[in-house]
Amino acid sequence: MPLELRRAFLILAAIVVMVSLIWASRFDEMPPAEFSFQNGTDPKTLDPHRATGQPESRILFNIFTGLLEELPEGDPDPETGVQPMTPQPGIAKSYEVSPDNMTYTFHLRDDVTWSDGVPITSADFVWSWTRMLHPETACEYNFQLFGVQNAEAYATGEVKPGDKVEVELWDRPGETIDSEPAPQTFPRGTIVHGTLKALDKPPKPNVPEDATKEEKSKITADWEAEWLYTVDLARKDGDKILWDDVTETVTYTKNLQTPLAKEDTQRTHYVLVAFDQLGGVEAPDDYTLIVHLRDPLPYFPYLASYYPLFPVPRHCIEEHGKPMWTRPENIVTCGPYKIGLRKLRDRVRLVKDEKWYDADSVQVETIDALSVESHNTALNMYETGELDWVTDPPVTLMEELVKRDDYHGAPYLSVYYYELNTKRPPLDDVRVRKALSMAINREQIVREVTKAGQQPAFALVPPGIAGYTQVKGDPGSLEKAKELLTEAGYPGGRGFPKFTILYNTSESHRAVAEVIQQQWQNNLNVKADLQNMEWGSFLDKRQQQKYDISRAAWNADYPDPNTFLDLFLSESPQNNTAWDNPRYDELLSEAASESDKVKRMELLAEAEAIWADELPAIPIYYYVGRNIYKPYVKGLFPTPQDTHPFQTIRLEPTP
């Protein structure tokens, strides 16, 4: 080796060692936790009503508890090793369901407290669910509660004359009548109640067809701010609202500059259906919660064990506000673990909460969720004993890793797909969407890139849901893809504009994107650029529909096709594709109210067939869990939704 090259190699080696030492030092500034795992990117938030991703959910499922919680039940599947999970008593020690499946009565434990010792009562759930649904909370999972009476109308701001409403006055702390809205959104200003007598609206503005989701929202919000509400205010007797006892009639608007305003019109933040007063959710005493559904949802117990429906601490949120209440020094929780510390781009440390009602069952005292995005770094830390569990091992080594005894792979209910911005030409043409899908060689991706047993996907809902006949989708052919592209006006790819594939920072996402980029180039003469972004910015860009094609995935919230199909409802906050199909929406609505289980599944399959035909997103493969953990780790196992309750983990020394 020439002297210059040898010197350059030594310098490079020294730099690599230095960088490795700096990286390692980030995790050596404190005593290690008893158990540590790779959590990927930094959690964007620890607020259950604002979280959306797996890095957040792994933590939230273990620092909060719902009415119910999903725990192991029965023996693992003898073929796949997947451990069945069912909703079991959590903060609710028991519950009953009415014969028509429309009313759930939960009986809460009387020994449950927040991590600061304050008792948890049924009123905490009423307040938390109201906060989750409130428009300003902007919870992307608020649709999970739309099966509760009046919940959807409250979340969407839908009101009509005759409705019993709540009015939030413009008097949040620090506000004057001419000021901008106070930064603190919930808890809210003074609330008065009454009956909506009239609702006047100025002419509806025209919304450009090519407007983004964000632009549409602003145009609509500006228009709605000019609405004029006439309310017959009701007298209040203690906590009871006497709806028929009218004290005065007042007009309200969000924007006093509206041409509809009168001389005595008052400014308001919101006029909403009075959700917490109309009986959808009742708290007749501290330890009873009654939920009245509008549809007989067979999966409601699973929703009650899903983190967006977990209670949040009203006293903590009111004291510190959003988002300060989630800071480690402020946050109050109600799970088997609480937050010990949080270091950005480093870790979240979980500490056993001795006040949790079942603390005696928790063996591991401290757990570190480490922000390690690099797959290779995570595996190296595992090999050197710095990690006990790798959640996302490197795909480049998968062929060897799957042979190891500490590798645990199993299918679960999750799908990997590419979202398409259907408002951006040429992706607004279904022929183009189908051509792009048919030009992807999924077998090559699962064989040469992911390499862990993933299954090619041509529809949305993964296999394995009891009672559901899976929609197969149309794999098509390369010849058909070329024909469709020609029909759309791009013969041989000529004239097709270059677009961008967006993905969040990850070696595996990049590897998949590079293969698809090459396949589209080779098969259709269509060129795509790649763009990676860190998790938070990636989520924002997708939700604002500022993308062409975006990597996406969905893990089942509960074992039912609805958890996947609901994503693409025209009004779903999770629908980032701008796709809108009235028949699809109608079928899901019919399925929601259908009590016959077989008929319900048929309606859902009909809806998925529409989705698979119009392809607002391109399904690529169905996931398998790819976990590596030490032999001494017990109670960690593959599950249908890849969720892992930390209170079941045991650390047993190996012989």
Side-chain angles (χ1 to χ4, degrees), residues 199-216:
L199 175 56
D200 298 305
K201 306 175 183 179
K204 191 170 184 177
N206 293 322
V207 179
E209 279 292 323
D210 59 350
T212 66
K213 191 176 185 178
E214 188 177 33
E215 290 166 344
K216 287 181 180 177

Side-chain angles (χ1 to χ4, degrees), residues 636-650:
L636 187 64
F637 29 71
T639 68
Q641 291 149 247
D642 201 34
T643 53
H644 304 281
F646 292 170
Q647 70 259 39
T648 66
I649 295 177
R650 303 287 183 269

Side-chain angles (χ1 to χ4, degrees), residues 261-546:
K262 301 177 181 178
E263 187 175 342
D264 57 351
T265 295
Q266 296 184 26
R267 194 175 184 188
T268 179
H269 283 284
Y270 288 96
V271 177
L272 302 171
V273 167
F275 170 72
D276 60 354
Q277 300 292 327
L278 298 181
V281 184
E282 298 180 84
D285 59 57
D286 284 350
Y287 301 107
T288 305
L289 186 75
I290 304 174
V291 182
H292 297 281
L293 303 180
R294 68 180 186 185
D295 302 311
L297 304 180
Y299 50 83
F300 188 73
Y302 283 95
L303 291 182
S305 61
Y306 196 56
Y307 72 81
L309 273 66
F310 289 175
V312 292
R314 177 176 186 172
H315 61 290
C316 176
I317 296 172
E318 289 183 340
E319 179 181 356
H320 299 289
K322 184 184 76 173
M324 299 298 290
W325 80 272
T326 60
R327 291 180 63 90
E329 64 270 23
N330 298 332
I331 192 169
V332 173
T333 56
C334 62
Y337 291 88
K338 57 185 179 181
I339 300 297
L341 61 86
R342 182 179 183 185
K343 297 182 67 178
L344 294 179
R345 295 177 295 280
D346 182 350
R347 74 188 70 201
V348 177
R349 173 158 293 185
L350 308 182
V351 179
K352 177 180 175 179
D353 183 2
E354 296 292 348
K355 291 186 173 66
W356 192 56
Y357 63 86
D358 197 21
D360 290 344
S361 70
V362 180
Q363 185 207 68
V364 182
E365 297 281 343
T366 56
I367 295 178
D368 272 354
L370 297 182
S371 301
V372 184
E373 293 186 24
S374 168
H375 304 182
N376 290 321
T377 299
L379 186 61
N380 289 337
M381 293 176 70
Y382 177 84
E383 299 293 0
T384 58
E386 295 171 271
L387 285 176
D388 303 288
W389 173 26
V390 174
T391 61
D392 198 5
V395 294
T396 53
L397 301 176
M398 196 54 61
E399 288 178 290
E400 294 302 317
L401 294 175
V402 296
K403 302 173 186 177
R404 294 170 43 154
D405 291 338
D406 57 353
Y407 175 84
H408 304 271
Y412 70 100
L413 298 175
S414 186
V415 59
Y416 191 103
Y417 57 94
Y418 273 10
E419 290 180 328
L420 306 176
N421 189 337
T422 63
K423 291 301 182 186
R424 287 194 177 180
L427 300 174
D428 58 344
D429 188 328
V430 67
R431 295 170 298 185
V432 169
R433 301 199 294 268
K434 287 183 176 181
L436 292 174
S437 176
M438 292 178 184
I440 295 175
N441 185 337
R442 294 161 175 81
E443 288 288 352
Q444 180 187 0
I445 292 171
V446 299
R447 183 180 65 250
E448 299 179 7
V449 181
T450 60
K451 303 179 184 178
Q454 292 87 350
Q455 296 298 311
F458 297 94
L460 182 61
V461 179
I465 296 178
Y468 187 68
T469 301
Q470 189 184 18
V471 173
K472 299 301 182 183
D474 183 10
S477 65
L478 186 53
E479 291 72 23
K480 180 63 175 176
K482 292 177 179 178
E483 289 177 12
L484 287 168
L485 206 61
T486 298
E487 289 177 17
Y490 305 102
R494 290 191 297 276
F496 199 97
K498 182 182 284 190
F499 55 88
T500 300
I501 301 173
L502 175 69
Y503 63 94
N504 57 298
T505 303
S506 163
E507 292 130 351
S508 59
H509 299 329
R510 179 175 182 83
V512 171
E514 287 176 340
V515 170
I516 291 177
Q517 176 192 44
Q518 194 62 51
Q519 289 177 352
W520 282 341
Q521 169 78 56
N522 294 343
N523 296 335
L524 298 178
N525 194 29
V526 166
K527 297 179 177 61
D529 291 329
L530 304 184
Q531 180 183 20
N532 76 293
M533 302 184 76
E534 60 85 21
W535 181 242
S537 300
F538 167 77
L539 291 177
D540 291 341
K541 193 160 187 174
R542 275 179 56 203
Q543 189 170 25
Q544 294 164 9
Q545 294 180 347
K546 295 180 178 178

